[in-house]
Structures are given as structure tokens and as C-alpha cells.
Amino acid sequence: MPAEWEAHRTSGSTIAAIATPMGQGGVGIVRLSGPQSLDIAEKLFVPGPRFKGFKAYKLHYGWIKNRNQQILDEVLLAYMPAPYSYTREDVVEINCHGGPAVLEGVLEALYHLGAEPAAPGEFTKRAFLNNRMDLTQAEAALEMINAPTQDGALLARDKLQGHLKERVDSLRDSLEELKKELCLAVDFPEEDLECLPLADLAQRTNAAVREIDQLLKAFEQNRVFREGALVVLAGRVNAGKSSLMNALLGRERAIVTSIPGTTRDYLEEAINLGGLPVRLVDTAGRRPTRDKIEMMGLETGRQLISRADLCILVLDAGQEPAPEDLDILEEINPGKLVLAVNKQDLVSETPAWVQDLKDKGLDLVHTSATLGHGLEDLTRAIRSRILGEKRPEATSSLAPNLRQKTALDKARQELLLLAEEARQEMPHDLLGVRLDYACTFLDEITGRIVTDDILNSIFENFCIGK
């Protein structure tokens, strides 16, 4: 552990912060952590009737004073002594009414009595430094806070419970055991011991690579639950893209008129489609134009389509596909395409060209944005194309984040080089160096080995109060 972090852990400071979002609310929480937490809180707390002293993990009714010793608010106060608290320090939480003036008044009083302002993520940072959790659990706490849907929260939950740490530690232990066997004869030449046969080394190295590959696959499978899937509405002008976006959102977000080319840039909104977080983008309608601004909007639309997890090509049921529509069909991989035949309420029967598209095996949904018809079918089609009908628990809930994936990639590369050098019959002690490097990268994931820069980059993304 870096010296500056160890010094901070043992500095004995008591920190305080508002632990609930700013703004008006029914309840707001001010959190204290450190050796002086209870002493400071006692100087401000006026107990209610039947109070017989602070008891751990109980709510105590009373009143809180401001820095001028005036009664400020009616509160519930909880005391969690070390080491059985979130930070493994003494923790006090003051449950107030959730108005900004009240919370700021309490916080000001705590600072006046010696508490220090908490930095972003400092409560979780202290939990990590005091060995309450490893780095994967600390990052999972942030992922839990930022999860856009319940499925995303479930992914964070398993890591918060330490399951990813267990998986990585198990992999690391197997590599450490492999290294011991590999280097036994090198370390004790007088014992005339046999080194690990290279065939066994290759077999066990490949098994470790497969274990890493499973985690890397989970990263890609569950990426959309962390970042949100990029779904782009495309098509020619006046096909009903903006109307369809409004219908999916359930509100008027995009301007809809009968004038072609109303959307000249693009609009993006977040939406939860049955547990799948989606970044829904309405792009400019395609048509021949010499207008420079519109041309820029069309180019932006093409770039968005190229990056999209899914493109919804919106077609007007009353008109055969135009050249602009056929261009989009040519540009996009069918596996990333859903056709929405819109304005279905304006046609009496299904046009022949729609059946032709179905016959080509394209995923097609009939919709009417005006009447709200077909939206559930479209939602199911979006989920099916992006997830393949799988929910997170059907893939792997132990999905690493980008930092963890990078470390896994590096460990995997070391193991592949180890297997190659083993085939070349490199000396056993040099092969052991590869295992050392692989273990180091795995240690970066759990925080057993970590640099100041990594710690700072992780915890600066937390909110103050967590």
C-alpha cells in the first residue's frame, strides 16, 4: 500500500459530509467517520425522552443543534462503532429533514467542532484502506450508485459481495502454485528435484487463459448494462423517426411537423426498455441536399449508425423504400438492424414490398407512432437484437469494468507469451518471471498492488458522502 495512503489511514482525522443528494427531500443524511465521530455528535445531539445512552446500531430520537447551540431540527441518530461499520471506523449518521438549509447547518456545526470535509469517495476509500473491502468491491459501490437499471444493479451487487475478488484471487493462487512447482528445482538444485514438465505447464497455462477469457467475454456481454446501448433511429425524411422517438419516450422530446427535414442534427435521450438502458438517438432524415448544415447533420448520423449497437430503420408504410432507405440497408449489418414499418394506421393492407423485406430474413416490426401501436413489439425486438434474449444473470454477473479488463488483458498476454516461450524450451527461471508479471496484473485488479494514480482516478469519480 502506498505510504501516503497508509499515513492518511492512520492520521486519526474525522470526516463529515452530506450522504444524500443535494436538493429538497423528505430525509437527508449527514455522515461522520473517524475516532471523534461520537464525541462531536454528542455535543450537538439533544436526546428525546427515555434516552439511556448511545447503543450501537440503534436509532436514537432527539434534536440537533447548529454551531450556535440553537435547536435546528428533529433527527434520528445512529451510531456504528469500529470495526463493524462501513469504514471500519466509528461512524455516526444523522437523519434530518432533507432541506438544504438544515443539512448545511448540521454540516457547518460538525466542522466547527473539528470534523474535516470529506473528499469525494473518502468513506469508501477508508473502507478499502482499512481492509473492509478490496478494490473490486470499492468500484462496485460506485457502479451500484450509477446503475441505470435494476439489471445493472444486479451486476454490481455480485461484485460488491466480493465474488469477483474471489474469482481473481483463485486464479492468482493457481498461478502462484504453478510458479512454485516450476521453480522448485531451480531454487533447490542440490535436492535433485524434477521441474514441472513443459506439457503440464502448457496445459495449466491454457486453463488460466480460458478462465480469463470467460471474464473478458462477460465484460463485452454486459457492457450495455454499464454504458447503455446506443440505438439509432434512421431513415428518410418524414418517415416518422421523431414521432417514434416521442412514442418510446412517452413524452414530446422531438419536434414533429409535416415539413421535411425538421431534425437537422440529432437528439439523444436515455430510456429504460424493460431493464435495458438505452441511449436513443433520432438522426436527421436522409434526402439529397446542398445545405451545408443539413449535410453536416447527415454525416453525423452516418457516424452514429456506424458506432451503434442497433439501428432502427424507420420506413413509411405508405411508400416503397426510397434510395436513401436502400443505402442504409446496404450500410448496416443485418444483425444490428431492425425495420420499423411506421404509419401502419394509414394503410388498409400490408404492402407487397414489406413481405419482400420479410422474405430476406430482416427483423421487421409494424408500428404506428401516432396511435402507439407496435411499441411493445419494437421494444422486444430491440432487446432481442442487443441481448440475444439473455438477461445479465443468463450470461455472467462477474463482469469486469474497463480498468479491470485492461489488467486482465495484460495478464492474459503474459500467459500467452509464457506458453510460447515454454514451447521454445526457455529456462524455467525465466518462465517464472512471466508468472510474476501475470500475478502482478491480477493484484492490480483487487488492489493488493496499486499505485497512487490508480487510487486517485477511482475515488475521484465518487460523490462526496460515499
Side-chain angles (χ1 to χ4, degrees), residues 29 52 86 159 333 366 380:
I29 299 174
K52 297 180 180 179
Y86 183 72
K159 291 191 285 185
N333 182 331
H366 297 275
R380 281 194 292 269

Short mmCIF file of all heavy atoms in Angstrom, two decimals, residues 29 52 86 159 333 366 380:
data_model
loop_
_atom_site.label_atom_id
_atom_site.label_comp_id
_atom_site.label_asym_id
_atom_site.label_seq_id
_atom_site.Cartn_x
_atom_site.Cartn_y
_atom_site.Cartn_z
N ILE A 29 -29.25 12.77 5.05
CA ILE A 29 -28.33 12.12 6.00
C ILE A 29 -26.99 12.82 5.97
O ILE A 29 -26.42 13.05 4.89
CB ILE A 29 -28.16 10.63 5.66
CG1 ILE A 29 -29.50 9.91 5.75
CG2 ILE A 29 -27.14 9.98 6.59
CD1 ILE A 29 -29.46 8.47 5.30
N LYS A 52 -31.19 6.42 27.09
CA LYS A 52 -30.31 5.86 28.13
C LYS A 52 -28.89 5.65 27.62
O LYS A 52 -28.21 4.71 27.99
CB LYS A 52 -30.88 4.53 28.62
CG LYS A 52 -32.25 4.66 29.30
CD LYS A 52 -32.76 3.31 29.76
CE LYS A 52 -34.14 3.47 30.43
NZ LYS A 52 -34.67 2.15 30.88
N TYR A 86 -19.14 0.71 7.98
CA TYR A 86 -18.77 0.75 6.56
C TYR A 86 -17.29 1.05 6.36
O TYR A 86 -16.64 0.48 5.49
CB TYR A 86 -19.62 1.82 5.84
CG TYR A 86 -19.36 1.89 4.35
CD1 TYR A 86 -19.82 0.89 3.51
CD2 TYR A 86 -18.67 2.95 3.79
CE1 TYR A 86 -19.60 0.94 2.14
CE2 TYR A 86 -18.44 3.02 2.42
CZ TYR A 86 -18.90 2.00 1.60
OH TYR A 86 -18.66 2.05 0.25
N LYS A 159 -20.38 -8.21 -7.47
CA LYS A 159 -19.01 -7.74 -7.23
C LYS A 159 -18.90 -7.08 -5.86
O LYS A 159 -17.88 -7.19 -5.19
CB LYS A 159 -18.58 -6.79 -8.34
CG LYS A 159 -18.40 -7.49 -9.67
CD LYS A 159 -17.72 -6.62 -10.70
CE LYS A 159 -18.65 -5.58 -11.25
NZ LYS A 159 -18.02 -4.80 -12.33
N ASN A 333 -24.97 -4.05 -40.97
CA ASN A 333 -25.01 -5.49 -40.76
C ASN A 333 -26.43 -5.88 -40.34
O ASN A 333 -26.98 -5.31 -39.39
CB ASN A 333 -24.01 -5.85 -39.65
CG ASN A 333 -23.95 -7.34 -39.39
OD1 ASN A 333 -24.92 -8.06 -39.57
ND2 ASN A 333 -22.80 -7.80 -38.93
N HIS A 366 -44.22 -3.83 -37.23
CA HIS A 366 -45.21 -2.86 -37.69
C HIS A 366 -45.54 -1.91 -36.53
O HIS A 366 -45.85 -2.35 -35.42
CB HIS A 366 -46.49 -3.57 -38.15
CG HIS A 366 -46.27 -4.46 -39.33
ND1 HIS A 366 -46.29 -4.00 -40.63
CD2 HIS A 366 -46.01 -5.80 -39.40
CE1 HIS A 366 -46.06 -5.01 -41.46
NE2 HIS A 366 -45.89 -6.11 -40.74
N ARG A 380 -39.34 -5.38 -27.67
CA ARG A 380 -38.86 -6.77 -27.63
C ARG A 380 -37.82 -7.02 -28.70
O ARG A 380 -36.82 -7.72 -28.47
CB ARG A 380 -40.04 -7.74 -27.79
CG ARG A 380 -40.85 -7.94 -26.52
CD ARG A 380 -41.77 -9.15 -26.65
NE ARG A 380 -42.81 -8.90 -27.62
CZ ARG A 380 -44.01 -8.38 -27.33
NH1 ARG A 380 -44.29 -8.05 -26.08
NH2 ARG A 380 -44.91 -8.19 -28.27
#
